[in-house]
Short mmCIF file of all heavy atoms in Angstrom, two decimals:
data_model
loop_
_atom_site.label_atom_id
_atom_site.label_comp_id
_atom_site.label_asym_id
_atom_site.label_seq_id
_atom_site.Cartn_x
_atom_site.Cartn_y
_atom_site.Cartn_z
N PRO A 19 -4.48 -10.20 15.48
CA PRO A 19 -3.17 -10.29 16.14
C PRO A 19 -2.17 -11.25 15.33
O PRO A 19 -1.15 -11.42 15.56
CB PRO A 19 -3.44 -10.75 17.48
CG PRO A 19 -4.69 -11.50 17.43
CD PRO A 19 -5.54 -10.72 16.36
N TYR A 20 -2.88 -12.04 14.35
CA TYR A 20 -2.04 -13.06 13.62
C TYR A 20 -1.64 -12.54 12.24
O TYR A 20 -1.13 -13.30 11.39
CB TYR A 20 -2.90 -14.26 13.52
CG TYR A 20 -3.45 -14.73 14.91
CD1 TYR A 20 -4.75 -14.81 15.15
CD2 TYR A 20 -2.48 -14.94 15.90
CE1 TYR A 20 -5.31 -15.19 16.35
CE2 TYR A 20 -3.05 -15.24 17.23
CZ TYR A 20 -4.44 -15.39 17.45
OH TYR A 20 -4.99 -15.75 18.54
N SER A 21 -1.92 -11.32 11.79
CA SER A 21 -1.73 -10.75 10.58
C SER A 21 -0.49 -9.81 10.58
O SER A 21 -0.20 -8.99 11.48
CB SER A 21 -2.86 -10.05 9.92
OG SER A 21 -3.11 -8.80 10.53
N MET A 22 0.28 -9.74 9.40
CA MET A 22 1.21 -8.69 9.12
C MET A 22 0.95 -8.07 7.81
O MET A 22 0.17 -8.62 7.01
CB MET A 22 2.67 -9.33 9.30
CG MET A 22 2.86 -10.67 8.45
SD MET A 22 4.25 -11.54 9.09
CE MET A 22 3.42 -12.62 10.24
N ILE A 23 1.64 -7.08 7.46
CA ILE A 23 1.30 -6.36 6.22
C ILE A 23 2.29 -6.80 5.08
O ILE A 23 3.52 -6.85 5.34
CB ILE A 23 1.56 -4.82 6.40
CG1 ILE A 23 0.59 -4.32 7.58
CG2 ILE A 23 1.17 -3.99 5.16
CD1 ILE A 23 -0.90 -4.63 7.27
N GLY A 24 1.75 -7.02 3.95
CA GLY A 24 2.52 -7.30 2.75
C GLY A 24 1.87 -6.77 1.55
O GLY A 24 0.67 -6.72 1.62
N SER A 25 2.64 -6.30 0.59
CA SER A 25 2.04 -5.45 -0.45
C SER A 25 1.46 -6.32 -1.54
O SER A 25 0.65 -5.91 -2.22
CB SER A 25 3.16 -4.52 -1.01
OG SER A 25 4.01 -5.19 -1.74
N ASP A 26 2.05 -7.46 -1.76
CA ASP A 26 1.66 -8.33 -2.88
C ASP A 26 2.02 -7.62 -4.16
O ASP A 26 1.45 -7.79 -5.16
CB ASP A 26 0.24 -8.85 -2.80
CG ASP A 26 -0.01 -9.97 -3.72
OD1 ASP A 26 0.96 -10.57 -4.33
OD2 ASP A 26 -1.28 -10.24 -4.19
N GLY A 27 2.92 -6.57 -4.15
CA GLY A 27 3.32 -5.70 -5.22
C GLY A 27 4.82 -5.82 -5.58
O GLY A 27 5.59 -6.54 -4.97
N SER A 28 5.20 -5.11 -6.53
CA SER A 28 6.56 -5.06 -6.98
C SER A 28 7.12 -3.64 -6.95
O SER A 28 6.36 -2.70 -6.90
CB SER A 28 6.62 -5.52 -8.61
OG SER A 28 5.96 -6.74 -8.58
N ALA A 29 8.37 -3.54 -6.94
CA ALA A 29 9.08 -2.35 -7.01
C ALA A 29 8.96 -1.63 -8.48
O ALA A 29 9.40 -2.32 -9.40
CB ALA A 29 10.61 -2.37 -6.68
N LEU A 30 8.15 -0.55 -8.58
CA LEU A 30 7.94 0.26 -9.70
C LEU A 30 8.54 1.53 -9.71
O LEU A 30 9.06 2.08 -8.62
CB LEU A 30 6.54 0.18 -10.09
CG LEU A 30 5.67 -1.24 -10.12
CD1 LEU A 30 4.28 -1.08 -10.35
CD2 LEU A 30 6.35 -2.17 -11.17
N SER A 31 8.28 2.25 -10.82
CA SER A 31 8.79 3.69 -10.91
C SER A 31 7.73 4.46 -11.77
O SER A 31 6.83 3.90 -12.30
CB SER A 31 10.07 3.72 -11.63
OG SER A 31 10.69 4.94 -11.73
N VAL A 32 7.97 5.77 -11.69
CA VAL A 32 7.12 6.63 -12.39
C VAL A 32 7.63 7.00 -13.82
O VAL A 32 7.03 7.62 -14.63
CB VAL A 32 6.78 8.00 -11.71
CG1 VAL A 32 6.01 7.70 -10.28
CG2 VAL A 32 8.07 8.74 -11.44
N SER A 33 8.87 6.36 -14.17
CA SER A 33 9.45 6.62 -15.48
C SER A 33 10.25 5.28 -15.74
O SER A 33 10.63 4.50 -14.76
CB SER A 33 10.32 7.82 -15.39
OG SER A 33 11.38 7.72 -14.51
N GLY A 34 10.62 5.14 -16.96
CA GLY A 34 11.45 4.02 -17.42
C GLY A 34 10.79 2.73 -17.61
O GLY A 34 9.36 2.82 -17.60
N PRO A 35 11.30 1.55 -17.73
CA PRO A 35 10.69 0.38 -18.06
C PRO A 35 9.79 -0.27 -16.95
O PRO A 35 8.87 -0.92 -17.10
CB PRO A 35 11.89 -0.67 -18.26
CG PRO A 35 13.05 0.02 -17.66
CD PRO A 35 12.78 1.49 -17.82
N LEU A 36 9.86 0.25 -15.64
CA LEU A 36 9.09 -0.32 -14.63
C LEU A 36 7.97 0.69 -14.33
O LEU A 36 7.29 0.67 -13.32
CB LEU A 36 9.97 -0.47 -13.21
CG LEU A 36 10.93 -1.54 -13.37
CD1 LEU A 36 11.65 -1.74 -11.93
CD2 LEU A 36 10.33 -2.90 -13.75
N SER A 37 7.71 1.64 -15.39
CA SER A 37 6.58 2.54 -15.13
C SER A 37 5.37 2.21 -16.11
O SER A 37 4.34 2.85 -16.22
CB SER A 37 7.06 3.95 -15.55
OG SER A 37 7.29 4.00 -16.86
N HIS A 38 5.62 1.06 -16.94
CA HIS A 38 4.54 0.77 -17.92
C HIS A 38 3.24 0.19 -17.19
O HIS A 38 3.20 -0.29 -16.10
CB HIS A 38 5.08 -0.33 -18.81
CG HIS A 38 6.22 0.15 -19.65
ND1 HIS A 38 7.07 -0.75 -20.29
CD2 HIS A 38 6.75 1.32 -19.83
CE1 HIS A 38 7.97 -0.27 -20.93
NE2 HIS A 38 7.75 1.12 -20.70
N GLY A 39 2.08 0.48 -17.97
CA GLY A 39 0.79 -0.08 -17.51
C GLY A 39 0.15 0.75 -16.55
O GLY A 39 0.44 1.91 -16.36
N HIS A 40 -1.00 0.25 -16.03
CA HIS A 40 -1.77 0.92 -15.06
C HIS A 40 -1.90 0.03 -13.92
O HIS A 40 -2.95 -0.71 -13.63
CB HIS A 40 -3.18 1.10 -15.70
CG HIS A 40 -4.14 2.08 -14.87
ND1 HIS A 40 -4.20 3.40 -15.22
CD2 HIS A 40 -4.94 1.85 -13.81
CE1 HIS A 40 -5.03 4.01 -14.32
NE2 HIS A 40 -5.48 3.11 -13.53
N PRO A 41 -0.90 0.05 -13.03
CA PRO A 41 -0.77 -1.03 -11.90
C PRO A 41 -1.73 -0.69 -10.71
O PRO A 41 -2.30 0.32 -10.58
CB PRO A 41 0.73 -0.85 -11.53
CG PRO A 41 0.94 0.58 -11.75
CD PRO A 41 0.24 0.93 -12.98
N HIS A 42 -1.76 -1.64 -9.90
CA HIS A 42 -2.51 -1.65 -8.67
C HIS A 42 -1.70 -0.58 -7.71
O HIS A 42 -0.49 -0.59 -7.66
CB HIS A 42 -2.45 -2.94 -7.92
CG HIS A 42 -3.48 -3.13 -6.78
ND1 HIS A 42 -3.45 -2.37 -5.72
CD2 HIS A 42 -4.61 -3.84 -6.51
CE1 HIS A 42 -4.33 -2.69 -4.85
NE2 HIS A 42 -5.09 -3.77 -5.38
N PRO A 43 -2.50 0.26 -7.07
CA PRO A 43 -1.74 1.24 -6.25
C PRO A 43 -1.01 0.72 -5.11
O PRO A 43 -0.20 1.50 -4.31
CB PRO A 43 -2.94 2.18 -5.75
CG PRO A 43 -4.18 1.32 -5.89
CD PRO A 43 -3.94 0.53 -7.09
N ARG A 44 -1.22 -0.59 -4.71
CA ARG A 44 -0.55 -1.18 -3.60
C ARG A 44 1.07 -1.26 -3.86
O ARG A 44 1.87 -1.18 -2.98
CB ARG A 44 -0.87 -2.63 -3.43
CG ARG A 44 -0.68 -3.61 -4.60
CD ARG A 44 -1.38 -4.86 -4.48
NE ARG A 44 -0.98 -5.87 -5.42
CZ ARG A 44 -1.58 -6.98 -5.65
NH1 ARG A 44 -2.67 -7.34 -4.93
NH2 ARG A 44 -1.31 -7.78 -6.62
N ASN A 45 1.45 -1.06 -5.22
CA ASN A 45 2.90 -1.04 -5.48
C ASN A 45 3.53 0.21 -5.05
O ASN A 45 4.68 0.29 -4.86
CB ASN A 45 3.02 -1.18 -7.06
CG ASN A 45 2.53 -2.53 -7.54
OD1 ASN A 45 3.14 -3.55 -7.45
ND2 ASN A 45 1.42 -2.47 -8.19
N PHE A 46 2.69 1.21 -4.89
CA PHE A 46 3.24 2.52 -4.42
C PHE A 46 2.76 3.07 -3.17
O PHE A 46 3.35 3.85 -2.49
CB PHE A 46 2.86 3.64 -5.48
CG PHE A 46 3.53 3.51 -6.78
CD1 PHE A 46 3.11 2.68 -7.71
CD2 PHE A 46 4.43 4.50 -7.15
CE1 PHE A 46 3.72 2.53 -9.01
CE2 PHE A 46 5.11 4.38 -8.35
CZ PHE A 46 4.71 3.38 -9.32
N GLY A 47 1.69 2.44 -2.54
CA GLY A 47 1.12 2.98 -1.24
C GLY A 47 0.82 2.15 -0.11
O GLY A 47 0.36 2.72 0.90
N THR A 48 1.12 0.87 -0.19
CA THR A 48 0.67 -0.13 0.84
C THR A 48 1.03 0.44 2.25
O THR A 48 0.10 0.58 3.14
CB THR A 48 1.23 -1.41 0.69
OG1 THR A 48 0.59 -2.07 -0.44
CG2 THR A 48 0.99 -2.38 1.79
N PHE A 49 2.18 0.62 2.58
CA PHE A 49 2.75 0.82 3.97
C PHE A 49 2.30 2.28 4.39
O PHE A 49 1.93 2.45 5.59
CB PHE A 49 4.17 0.69 4.06
CG PHE A 49 4.58 -0.72 3.72
CD1 PHE A 49 4.88 -1.26 2.54
CD2 PHE A 49 4.58 -1.63 4.91
CE1 PHE A 49 5.06 -2.59 2.35
CE2 PHE A 49 4.84 -2.96 4.74
CZ PHE A 49 5.21 -3.54 3.35
N ALA A 50 2.29 3.31 3.53
CA ALA A 50 1.76 4.54 3.92
C ALA A 50 0.35 4.54 4.14
O ALA A 50 -0.29 5.26 4.97
CB ALA A 50 2.21 5.53 2.72
N ARG A 51 -0.48 3.77 3.45
CA ARG A 51 -1.87 3.59 3.54
C ARG A 51 -2.28 3.11 4.80
O ARG A 51 -3.16 3.54 5.59
CB ARG A 51 -2.51 2.75 2.45
CG ARG A 51 -3.99 2.68 2.42
CD ARG A 51 -4.52 1.85 1.26
NE ARG A 51 -6.02 1.65 1.26
CZ ARG A 51 -6.91 2.52 0.92
NH1 ARG A 51 -6.62 3.68 0.51
NH2 ARG A 51 -8.16 2.07 0.94
N VAL A 52 -1.46 2.03 5.39
CA VAL A 52 -1.81 1.51 6.66
C VAL A 52 -1.61 2.58 7.70
O VAL A 52 -2.50 2.74 8.65
CB VAL A 52 -0.78 0.39 6.98
CG1 VAL A 52 -0.88 -0.17 8.47
CG2 VAL A 52 -1.14 -0.83 6.10
N LEU A 53 -0.51 3.42 7.61
CA LEU A 53 -0.39 4.39 8.68
C LEU A 53 -1.40 5.56 8.50
O LEU A 53 -1.78 6.04 9.58
CB LEU A 53 1.05 4.92 8.36
CG LEU A 53 2.32 4.01 8.77
CD1 LEU A 53 3.51 4.69 8.26
CD2 LEU A 53 2.25 3.62 10.14
N SER A 54 -1.68 5.98 7.35
CA SER A 54 -2.63 7.10 7.14
C SER A 54 -4.04 6.66 7.43
O SER A 54 -4.73 7.32 8.30
CB SER A 54 -2.45 7.71 5.88
OG SER A 54 -2.82 6.84 4.74
N ARG A 55 -4.54 5.69 6.84
CA ARG A 55 -5.84 5.25 6.93
C ARG A 55 -6.26 4.53 8.13
O ARG A 55 -7.20 4.85 8.85
CB ARG A 55 -6.21 4.51 5.63
CG ARG A 55 -7.77 4.03 5.57
CD ARG A 55 -7.98 3.27 4.29
NE ARG A 55 -9.34 2.68 4.16
CZ ARG A 55 -10.36 3.47 3.68
NH1 ARG A 55 -10.12 4.70 3.29
NH2 ARG A 55 -11.56 2.93 3.55
N TYR A 56 -5.52 3.50 8.40
CA TYR A 56 -5.82 2.67 9.57
C TYR A 56 -5.25 2.98 10.96
O TYR A 56 -5.73 2.49 12.00
CB TYR A 56 -5.46 1.17 9.16
CG TYR A 56 -6.23 0.76 7.96
CD1 TYR A 56 -5.75 0.63 6.71
CD2 TYR A 56 -7.67 0.46 8.12
CE1 TYR A 56 -6.33 0.27 5.62
CE2 TYR A 56 -8.44 0.18 7.05
CZ TYR A 56 -7.87 0.07 5.71
OH TYR A 56 -8.51 -0.41 4.58
N VAL A 57 -4.29 3.90 10.92
CA VAL A 57 -3.64 4.35 12.14
C VAL A 57 -4.28 5.75 12.50
O VAL A 57 -4.90 6.06 13.44
CB VAL A 57 -2.17 4.39 12.25
CG1 VAL A 57 -1.55 5.04 13.44
CG2 VAL A 57 -1.61 2.91 12.03
N ARG A 58 -3.90 6.76 11.67
CA ARG A 58 -4.32 8.14 11.88
C ARG A 58 -5.72 8.41 11.81
O ARG A 58 -6.31 9.04 12.63
CB ARG A 58 -3.52 8.94 10.99
CG ARG A 58 -3.71 10.59 11.29
CD ARG A 58 -2.95 11.49 10.31
NE ARG A 58 -3.56 11.38 9.04
CZ ARG A 58 -2.86 11.08 7.90
NH1 ARG A 58 -1.52 10.95 7.97
NH2 ARG A 58 -3.54 11.05 6.69
N GLU A 59 -6.38 8.01 10.55
CA GLU A 59 -7.70 8.36 10.38
C GLU A 59 -8.74 7.50 11.02
O GLU A 59 -9.62 7.94 11.80
CB GLU A 59 -8.02 8.39 8.74
CG GLU A 59 -7.14 9.32 8.12
CD GLU A 59 -7.35 9.07 6.57
OE1 GLU A 59 -8.06 8.31 6.10
OE2 GLU A 59 -6.39 9.73 5.84
N GLN A 60 -8.68 6.24 10.89
CA GLN A 60 -9.69 5.22 11.47
C GLN A 60 -9.43 4.62 12.94
O GLN A 60 -10.16 4.15 13.51
CB GLN A 60 -9.85 4.05 10.44
CG GLN A 60 -10.47 4.45 9.07
CD GLN A 60 -10.79 3.17 8.26
OE1 GLN A 60 -10.90 2.15 8.82
NE2 GLN A 60 -11.16 3.43 7.11
N LYS A 61 -8.07 4.78 13.33
CA LYS A 61 -7.58 4.39 14.55
C LYS A 61 -7.90 2.95 14.86
O LYS A 61 -8.22 2.39 15.92
CB LYS A 61 -8.13 5.32 15.77
CG LYS A 61 -7.66 6.70 15.74
CD LYS A 61 -8.19 7.64 16.73
CE LYS A 61 -7.51 8.93 16.71
NZ LYS A 61 -7.47 9.67 15.42
N LEU A 62 -7.90 2.20 13.69
CA LEU A 62 -8.09 0.71 13.74
C LEU A 62 -6.85 0.14 14.61
O LEU A 62 -7.01 -0.92 15.24
CB LEU A 62 -8.24 0.08 12.50
CG LEU A 62 -8.36 -1.49 12.34
CD1 LEU A 62 -9.67 -1.79 12.96
CD2 LEU A 62 -8.21 -1.84 10.96
N LEU A 63 -5.74 0.64 14.31
CA LEU A 63 -4.44 0.11 14.93
C LEU A 63 -3.81 1.21 15.63
O LEU A 63 -3.88 2.50 15.25
CB LEU A 63 -3.49 -0.39 13.99
CG LEU A 63 -3.93 -1.59 13.00
CD1 LEU A 63 -2.78 -1.80 11.97
CD2 LEU A 63 -4.14 -2.83 13.92
#
């Protein structure tokens, strides 16, 4: 009950200068993952 969600990531893109590298998926998926994995699938929340 004392935690909130934070990505620890940056705004990136699939093209242009913010698309370089092989980043952590949290930059693209954190909030959707909470809803899909921990709400819909696992019903943790």
Side-chain angles (χ1 to χ4, degrees):
Y20 312 119
S21 73
M22 54 202 85
I23 305 300
S25 73
D26 195 16
S28 304
L30 302 180
S31 180
V32 297
S33 61
L36 294 184
S37 68
H38 296 163
H40 191 94
H42 195 299
R44 66 192 184 189
N45 298 284
F46 287 81
T48 291
F49 294 86
R51 181 176 174 86
V52 169
L53 293 171
S54 62
R55 183 178 178 85
Y56 297 105
V57 175
R58 186 184 67 232
E59 296 171 8
Q60 297 188 9
K61 295 179 171 51
L62 180 70
L63 300 174

